[in-house]
Amino acid sequence: MPNIRNRDAILELISTNPLFSTLSPSSVAKMVDRSSVRHLTGGEILLREGESGDSMFVVISGRLRAYVLDSEDKPTVVGEISPGETVGEMALLSDHPRSASVRAVRDSTLLEFSREEFQGLVNREPAALVAIAREVVERLGRSIHATEESGAIRTITLIAAGRTGNIHPAARQLEAALARHGSVAVADVDHLTATGMDASNPDELGRLIDELEAGHDKVLLIADHTSPEWTRHCLGQADRVLLIGDPADDPSPNQMESELLREVARREHTRVDLVMVHEAGRLLPAPVSRWIEQRPGIKCYNLRTGTDSGFPRLARLLTGTAVNLVLSGGGARGLAHIGVLRALEESRIPIDFVGGASFGSVTAAHAAMGRSWEETRDQTIEHLVDLGSPVDLTPPMVALARGAKVRRQLKGGFGEVAIENLWINFFCVSSNLTRGEVRVHQTGPIWEALRASVSIPGVFPPMRSPDGDVLVDGAVMNNLPVDVAERLGEPGLMMAVNLRSPADIAARDLPPDGALSGWRAIRRHIAPWRDKSAVPGIVQTLMRTSEIGSVISSKTFEQKAHIVFRPPVSGFSLMDFSSYEPLIEAGYRHALEVLEQNDGNKRLTNSVVAH
């Protein structure tokens, strides 16, 4: 066999595989000597589902991922293949087509064994067939019960973005944050020099990564523009690439970045994120829109050093212990969300991704700005409660309200801040009446997104999207967008606050024939000697119509969350913003009870411990 690496190291690696546990050392050596070497670059496909198979492989370095396609050709990961493990043996045992596709997650080296060699092995040592069959059955069981651990991030490459110089300080902070989740190893060009390794030798570098991964939970590789060979290897071996940027620098991509972005656009096998490191003490992140514009399709995270909004958050994202929070609509009842935020804050449960619909989107936006529950409460009271009803009446040709007051209230709370410039990644939803679909807002001025998300049909004028569509309240089509958070959020814990409740609309004085005089309803409403009219007001009816439209979907999306809060708010009117104190208290007390009930929840425990 070609001398790709030390032969003894390969034999030792293969001997750890259960498939070869019954073989004598001489048989293993003979099999290895008759194999051929296969090199894969990250993203390259080794096997395709449905194809015939005439060989099996042993991974020597790198990592592969197996997946199957559903009826819509969407891939589902069913397992990963690490150094020392085999892939492709099922087809040799059964003569059936390949049961899954296999792709290289990173640059990988494999030994390939032909069908003839495999059959010769079984003929020479029949006991090997039992071990192989046992391993195949166990692997099939693991694929059937595939867990969310598939695709875990082990090796992370850091590369300077823009004209950012020394990224070692960021690497040290990330190393310290990741150390709270497990053991961490760091390798850079200086490490190669100290160990006498040759940066131009991919086999030596591959062995280094394998050894670091074998002894640590996470490996950080620091790219260096002075060593193109080392940088290429770092990128080829990465499960995740982080571009580290300083917002004070020139945002133009450097040469290494440009090559990486071209490669990502071509192969799309490794996720690349932009991490903007902001100085401690900033109220809001420095503008990053130019950085994002020059790196299209790259997700951006704003980190504030010295706080939980910094590298501890990034560590949770990389270790699958992030906390996602979704807040539903519900009119004034949405004030209960603030009480839930208080309970989470006091319980030291962080929020790493947040979004919502209708009034829930407003509270979510406060959280995304990094505001405490008290700041959120004060801002809400100042810009919403104290200013009175947001419904500024106008002749109802388009809506009951002009919409100027609610715009002023939202701008008062959020100014012209862009969604891209928040500490916590945020989204909200509106309902696109033109296209009949949910519109997800993730960019642009936050007040504009919120204005669309709270546009109750008939109460507030619709918003116009940049492409000319009509946008109304997100609650119309998706009042609890957990499905959106599941798609856009971070691996870890999913929490949702659902304010759905039985209707509290009065109907006693509604006439049975459906004819009702508005003047009569007004007289009954203002006459001091009469009982108040038990007729639903137009605003209340429109709000309830908006809210109830997605009750069924809310129940369905609840099931996607690991923890669901349902504060007892049915006794409050949808427009009763003056009851903010009891509403916040109701959300707070309920959230404490739910968190206590979930005290043994593994996901919750991991998130709190990692905080």
Side-chain angles (χ1 to χ4, degrees), residues 1 3-11 203 207:
M1 59 171 277
N3 184 25
I4 59 168
R5 277 205 293 162
N6 184 278
R7 182 174 181 273
D8 292 338
I10 292 178
L11 294 176
D203 294 331
R207 185 166 67 254

Side-chain angles (χ1 to χ4, degrees), residues 15-32:
S15 66
T16 64
N17 190 304
L19 265 67
F20 310 113
S21 59
T22 63
L23 300 182
S24 64
S26 60
S27 293
V28 173
K30 183 181 297 184
M31 184 180 66
V32 168

Side-chain angles (χ1 to χ4, degrees), residues 506-512 515-516 520-521 524-525 531-536:
R508 187 177 70 247
D509 291 343
L510 282 175
L516 175 65
R520 180 183 176 189
R524 288 187 62 99
H525 183 74
D531 294 335
K532 294 299 181 183
S533 175
V535 174

Side-chain angles (χ1 to χ4, degrees), residues 38 49 56 75-76 86 97 114 158 171 214 250 276 281 301 306 310 338 377 386 393 427 436 454 575 585-586:
R38 181 81 172 268
E49 183 179 359
M56 63 176 284
T76 298
T86 59
S114 66
L158 308 185
D250 182 346
M276 300 303 297
Y301 296 95
I338 301 175
R377 177 199 60 194
D386 288 348
L393 294 175
F427 80 94
V454 302
M575 291 296 291
E585 185 69 14

Side-chain angles (χ1 to χ4, degrees), residues 5 13 16 58-63 81-85 210 213:
R5 277 205 293 162
L13 179 67
T16 64
V58 177
V59 179
I60 300 303
S61 65
R63 190 190 304 169
I81 304 96
S82 300
E85 297 182 335
D210 292 345
E213 282 196 345

